[in-house]
Amino acid sequence: MKKWLPWIMAGVFGVWILSTLRMPRDKEWALSEFGKLPLLSNGRFQPMDSLARNSLLQMLEKQSLHLQDEKRTMPATGWLMEVMMNQERADTRKIFRIAPGNFELKSLLKLPPRNMAAGEDGKHYSWNQIKPSLEALEKEGRRVAQIDAAHRNPFDQSIMKLQNALFLYMRLKNTIHPENATNFVADLGRYAASIKPGMEAFQLQQQEKAHDEAALQLFGDFAQRFTIMIRMETPLLVPPHHPERSRDEWMRIGEALIEVARGEPMHFAIPAYAKMALAYREGRAADFNKAVAEYRQALTPQFIPELKKASREYFFNHLQAFYTASIVYVMAFLLACFSWFNLSEPLRRSAAWLVVLGFVVHTCGLVFRMVLENRPPVTNLYSSAIFIGWGAVVLGMILERFYRDGIGTVVASMLGFLTLIIAHNLALGGDTMEMMRAVLDTNFWLATHVVIITLGYASTGVAGFLAIIYLVRGIFTRTLSQATAKALSRMVYGILCFATLFSFVGTVLGGIWADQSWGRFWGWDPKENGALIIVLWNALVLHARWGGLVRERGLMNLAIVGNIVTSWSWFGVNMLGIGLHSYGFMDQAFWYLMLFVGLNVALIGLGLIPQHYWRSFRSTSGGTPPPGGNIPGRPAPAGA
Amino acid sequence: MVVKTIIKVLTSLRLTVGCLALGILLVFFGTIAQVDAGLYKAQDQWFRSFFVRTQGGVPLFPGGYLIGTVLLVNLIAAHIARFQLTWKKLGIHVLHAGVIVLLVGQLATDMLSREMQMSFAEGESRCFSVNPQSSELVFISETSDAFSNKVVAIPAGLLTGQKEISLPELPFRVRLKEWFVNSDVRQRAPMMDTNAPPATAGHGRNVTLIPLPETKKMDERNLPGITFELVGAQGSLGTWLGHAKLRDQEVTVGDKTWQMAFRFEREYHPFTVELLKTTHEIYRGTGTPGRPDTAIPKNFQSRVKLDNPQRRETREADIRMNEPLRYEGLTFYQYQMGRDEVQQNLGTSTLQVVRNPGWLAPYAGCVLVGGGLIIQFLMHLIGFIRKRRTA
């Protein structure tokens, strides 16, 4: 049994992972077919499903909506359908999240407090609940807009966040038809019929001649409602009339409708969406499904690339590869930790296999994203988290391959899990595959500078976590043997060498990129300085070790400081809100950063305790420790 | 004995570690200081100085130059003292040579490089670049020869330092009255502006000067303004306003007329650059409605025509993000883009113009250090794997 444990574990998780590949089948409504329809939003082609998930993330911080009273979960696409096609019902859904502690905002908007009996959880509110206080919110919004983003307090930020969420919601509501339309199919017919008499009446009016006032009024009403749709800057649902000329010229439904008045033919997408909307509103699932299928059919000959891209991204969204990987990593972490206590080889092997499995899923997700975006792995803060985790797992697996003592597995699984959690939280900002701004739009530098510098972060982080393992095992357990301590010390040293190489080369490549695109190699920009601090820190640690200024325990403590340095460079500098690099401004993460720094400082404090008080060393030296404890001899100087 | 101690200190690894630690602290606090002081000021205070000083000038902390110099001396001294020509040390030597190249190169860049800007609207030509960090007061008079002018330029820094300047080339003294770090001018409105105009002569009589707080933002620049008095042999020639937004002003002394302008410091080029067309594209459907500045920019591009009579060269070129134009020792980068204030249909473009003779140093330094690190770590790794094999 014991011999087979690794195989069984890998098998069980393998089957589970394969099961996530299966796409859910539509029951009544063709959710998945609708979710795969292509559109242009946020500068890129994406499926409805991505628009739904990213929008819901920005409002609710979740990718699906749990309906408390109906005891069911609404998938993002289902929610989006409701928002676009049955606005009155959507207005009752509690999708706007306000932090439970943000009493200021809740009282400004006169929102009900937590009262579970009345169905109020105190943190989620519907459009209908917020609507009466929109004026107060707008007033605050105008005030906050005058303040520099870097100087806004948490209340100001929550105002902006809610206002953006409401904007987005209004845009979505007006994407297919004006939100107050109840039968858009009939509206389209009336609009088409109103164009000719309306335009004639308009021309006569311009010439100050007698004209049909009613015809002008009807046409004018339509034009006004469609113009509002355009002004809201809704997602672009209508594909170009002539894709052979340009594939990018997608239109908003409002734009395409105004064009009809100018003599363009009615695009087939508009009646198609109108049919879907009416069928959905009237609860006719079969008709809705038919309308979706017909629209897909109509798109097929000319828009195969867009349909394919949308389907692929839909599949990727469903896969949730990084979520799956993080669960596997947690399992691996627990198994590997247990293996230290009972020294069970099968447990250790199982953990190592699980890390490999998680790594495969992690890599698939990473590569899938790269293919979808047609970019190198790191394009924004979110993807940097995923890639740093990936790099750390690679390093951990290499260590495990050499040492076979579970340490590499623990580091790999812990860092893999942590970085994926960080990525998950960074994804709350919305679309994680947004387009690259012109300054960053070069695959060459993204592939070299950014990849190498993130590997520098990853390896500095691995060294830091190895040091944490050393401290925790040494101080709190009896599992840190002399051999393990030595091995850990060698690992930290080796990884630090790599960290120095990567962070140095990455930093200088960044300078060269800056020289090529901004005209100066080094500008003391916060992000550059952050990278420089990592390089200097790694150089300091290595020199301190070569000079004999620190030994094993000191090396470990310094490596933990490396964690703080990395977190500063990765996140801290982005919170300063200045400089050319500060694209990824974030606010709430500040407290987590402080927490992380605090934890590391506490660990360093523990690391300063002389080693003869540590549990691991107390046991081996049998009570009275010799001066200097069991600290192994002075490390050999470099090159020796 | 003393020499020995000095050598020991200069070559010690402790000094290296100490300098690195101070360097880290300096970079960290220098970054934090940028939040309040702005990028350029913090740079000068923390990195381009021997000491970081308090407002009163008391040295508080070693500055970038001092730490850099000590590290350089330490590095060179240690290598002279411990130099061993062995294969084992090859990587170490190469990589430290690279660090020296980087440090020296950065110092050279700091002293020799010049950053300027060239701003124009579509259809305009420029034969000079300006340095928006400093202004100058210039006096231009026609000479007997019709092809050249006599130009007398007084740097603003000199003016603010001395308050009054007399030059043999000028028939009058220049007396500084007021200095505004950042300001704007607008036409005087008879109903609103009841106070006295800032000047008694020239365009300054018809405008109002609005003092503005100094901007520290990277993408904005200060427009300084001055009021100054010209004092000739026969007494005052009036108080004048100098501002970059005013057209040239004229003052006549005797039979000679001088054109005056207060403007950003200029550097003239032996060629002209004409802005033909600007392109500013954004990704569709990005940003907040009604706020084009929040959209994600896709492309900034300026098409320019170079005209160099000396080389009989007339050609067109594109300058865009990540694709600068290198010409005659200068590099032109796409910096900012906008619309002409008066003629909204005309695009404007600001190019960053940089002369940096030391630009190759980082490339060489990077190759040396990276190469040295790889050699050294590969030797370690091979040794480690061999040892494990035999063990």
Side-chain angles (χ1 to χ4, degrees), chain A residues 12 105 133 145 200 368 422 450 462 475 551:
Chain A
V12 168
L105 185 56
S133 315
E200 279 170 9
F368 207 139
I422 292 173
V450 179
V462 167
I475 295 174
R551 297 180 190 180

Side-chain angles (χ1 to χ4, degrees), chain A residues 42 44 369 373 379-380 431-436, chain B residues 296:
Chain A
N42 207 14
R44 68 185 189 90
R369 255 186 74 89
E373 275 199 289
T379 53
N380 51 18
D431 193 358
T432 60
M433 290 196 252
E434 79 266 41
M435 303 309 289
M436 302 298 293
Chain B
I296 302 179

Side-chain angles (χ1 to χ4, degrees), chain B residues 118-137:
Chain B
M118 188 181 272
S119 307
F120 35 26
E122 283 167 344
E124 288 182 335
S125 299
R126 291 278 180 273
C127 60
F128 58 85
S129 303
V130 301
N131 175 8
Q133 301 291 326
S134 68
S135 304
E136 59 186 11
L137 183 61

Side-chain angles (χ1 to χ4, degrees), chain A residues 407 411 461-474 488 492 552-561 563 603 614:
Chain A
I407 291 173
V411 167
V462 167
F465 277 85
L466 285 170
I468 291 179
I469 291 176
Y470 177 94
L471 283 189
V472 171
R473 281 180 70 173
L488 265 166
V492 168
E552 198 172 277
R553 186 167 56 106
L555 180 70
M556 296 300 166
N557 274 334
L558 292 183
I560 296 179
V561 179
N563 278 342
L603 281 167
W614 295 21

Side-chain angles (χ1 to χ4, degrees), chain A residues 371-418:
Chain A
V371 173
L372 279 178
E373 275 199 289
N374 199 11
R375 290 276 178 201
V378 185
T379 53
N380 51 18
L381 212 52
Y382 167 82
S383 46
S384 78
I386 287 179
F387 189 68
I388 285 176
W390 186 85
V393 174
V394 170
L395 284 175
M397 289 193 312
I398 293 173
L399 290 179
E400 190 65 37
R401 170 81 186 71
F402 276 121
Y403 287 91
R404 296 172 190 277
D405 53 6
I407 291 173
T409 300
V410 165
V411 167
S413 52
M414 181 161 62
L415 278 175
F417 176 69
L418 272 182

Side-chain angles (χ1 to χ4, degrees), chain B residues 128-354:
Chain B
F128 58 85
S129 303
V130 301
N131 175 8
Q133 301 291 326
S134 68
S135 304
E136 59 186 11
L137 183 61
V138 290
F139 298 92
I140 306 157
S141 76
E142 284 177 13
T143 50
S144 47
D145 125 45
F147 299 102
S148 61
N149 290 326
K150 183 171 168 183
V151 178
V152 182
I154 307 173
L158 201 66
L159 210 55
T160 49
Q162 302 202 352
K163 304 291 179 210
E164 186 171 303
I165 286 179
S166 57
L167 292 169
E169 294 90 346
L170 293 177
F172 40 71
R173 282 170 290 150
V174 182
R175 192 181 286 160
L176 180 73
K177 296 188 83 167
E178 271 186 296
W179 163 258
F180 303 91
V181 183
N182 190 14
S183 61
D184 196 8
V185 289
R186 62 167 166 77
Q187 286 294 319
R188 278 178 80 80
M191 302 301 286
M192 282 161 61
D193 297 309
T194 46
N195 57 337
T200 61
H203 303 318
R205 286 171 302 173
N206 310 318
V207 299
T208 287
L209 182 101
I210 307 153
L212 296 172
E214 184 180 1
T215 178
K216 288 160 183 168
K217 288 187 192 154
M218 284 288 290
D219 51 352
E220 290 177 10
R221 54 188 192 184
N222 291 305
L223 280 182
I226 57 170
T227 53
F228 57 96
E229 192 181 4
L230 297 179
V231 186
Q234 275 86 38
S236 175
L237 297 164
T239 299
W240 302 72
L241 174 70
H243 194 276
K245 279 195 179 173
L246 295 181
R247 278 171 292 123
D248 289 2
Q249 312 184 64
E250 280 183 3
V251 61
T252 308
V253 181
D255 56 347
K256 231 177 179 179
T257 300
W258 294 82
Q259 304 273 335
M260 281 188 295
F262 182 69
R263 62 191 190 193
F264 289 132
E265 214 174 81
R266 288 182 179 180
E267 181 180 313
Y268 285 87
H269 308 306
F271 53 88
T272 57
V273 184
E274 183 186 348
L275 181 63
L276 300 174
K277 188 177 179 306
T278 61
T279 313
H280 179 186
E281 295 167 315
I282 56 166
Y283 289 106
R284 294 207 66 190
T286 58
T288 324
R291 298 220 8 231
D293 56 310
T294 57
I296 302 179
K298 186 178 182 182
N299 183 23
F300 296 106
Q301 186 172 340
S302 297
R303 187 154 183 93
V304 296
K305 192 164 101 186
L306 292 168
D307 190 358
N308 190 340
Q310 281 177 5
R311 295 172 54 163
R312 295 204 192 144
E313 193 176 359
T314 314
R315 65 180 167 100
E316 294 185 7
D318 277 321
I319 300 171
R320 43 187 292 194
M321 278 291 167
N322 291 317
E323 287 173 27
L325 166 73
R326 293 186 193 272
Y327 187 72
E328 293 274 294
L330 295 169
T331 314
F332 296 82
Y333 301 88
Q334 185 59 55
Y335 182 56
Q336 283 174 330
M337 213 158 241
R339 296 261 128 211
D340 192 80
E341 278 184 20
V342 187
Q343 283 176 281
Q344 282 288 316
N345 59 334
L346 283 186
T348 61
S349 179
T350 302
L351 304 176
Q352 182 96 333
V353 185
V354 177

